[in-house]
Amino acid sequence: MSENTSTLVIITASVREGRFGPVVTDWVAARAREHGGFDVRVVDLADVDLPLALPDASPKVPGYPRPDGMRAVTAQLEEADAFVVVTPEYNHSYPASLKSLIDWHFTQWAAKPVAFVSYGGAAGGRHAVLHLENVFTEVHAVTIRDGLAFPNYYLGWEDGSPLDEAAPVYAKTLLEQLSWWADALRTARAAVPYPS
């Protein structure tokens, strides 16, 4: 990895049986690798121990007691310079698994950019993203304006790729913006610690 390469963690949010998330994640990860500015890592929340019960302590303080099964994902979030969240829309919002991941962590998100790729019915997961923008602002992350949304995804994908020919163009825009913010914020964090 060169000095100008950012560590990008792509999070597959859905843990539901029969989920479509890994298909979208694979496509996004391939676009990010083609971009060339990222060391791409994928976190599938179906593979992470995410208890719903949180300890009576703040995730802002060192030594926050996380389960051993969360050690690897915590390290990946800590090492990340940027995130892409791949999320479906469930009942006009995002999956509980994603909220649990966010709530178990705090400093790992701070002063880092987050982009969204959503999928769903007619709204393409946009309701989920609107909620997530508020949540990530609360943990001091920087959300990227240009995201990707796949409405009626069950009709709009074939052989692991979206049928919309503009999708790669939108993905490039998202990744360019994410790369810019990742570089800028990594430089800022290295120069001056982010105020907590």
Side-chain angles (χ1 to χ4, degrees):
M1 186 170 88
S2 76
E3 286 181 25
N4 297 326
T5 302
S6 298
T7 300
L8 171 62
V9 171
I10 303 175
I11 300 167
T12 305
S14 176
V15 298
R16 184 177 280 186
E17 288 184 19
R19 65 207 172 117
F20 190 68
V23 174
V24 181
T25 296
D26 288 347
W27 184 83
V28 171
R31 302 296 74 75
R33 289 183 183 103
E34 287 171 4
H35 178 275
F38 299 104
D39 173 20
V40 179
R41 302 170 188 188
V42 173
V43 170
D44 187 338
L45 296 190
D47 300 330
V48 179
D49 177 19
L50 288 170
L52 293 179
L54 295 164
D56 184 18
S58 170
K60 299 178 189 180
V61 298
Y64 184 67
R66 293 184 187 90
D68 285 342
M70 202 178 291
R71 189 180 315 258
V73 75
T74 299
Q76 287 179 299
L77 299 180
E78 188 70 44
E79 293 166 5
D81 295 308
F83 303 97
V84 171
V85 175
V86 176
T87 185
E89 181 178 315
Y90 296 156
N91 300 322
H92 277 215
S93 196
Y94 55 91
S97 53
L98 182 55
K99 185 67 163 81
S100 184
L101 177 74
I102 296 166
D103 289 349
W104 272 104
H105 299 88
F106 189 87
T107 57
Q108 292 79 9
W109 309 112
K112 296 178 182 179
V114 182
F116 302 102
V117 177
S118 62
Y119 59 97
R126 289 185 188 94
H127 298 108
V129 171
L130 287 172
H131 290 185
L132 284 167
E133 287 171 338
N134 288 328
V135 174
F136 275 108
T137 297
E138 181 62 22
V139 293
H140 298 257
V142 175
T143 58
I144 303 304
R145 179 194 175 277
D146 288 4
L148 271 170
F150 295 103
N152 302 319
Y153 69 92
Y154 38 84
L155 300 173
W157 285 68
E158 190 174 284
D159 299 326
S161 294
L163 297 174
D164 182 352
E165 293 178 1
V169 176
Y170 293 132
K172 185 173 190 261
T173 299
L174 177 153
L175 292 166
E176 286 295 320
Q177 291 180 3
L178 190 63
S179 179
W180 188 93
W181 278 106
D183 291 346
L185 291 172
R186 184 177 63 241
T187 301
R189 289 193 313 273
V192 180
Y194 183 75
S196 56

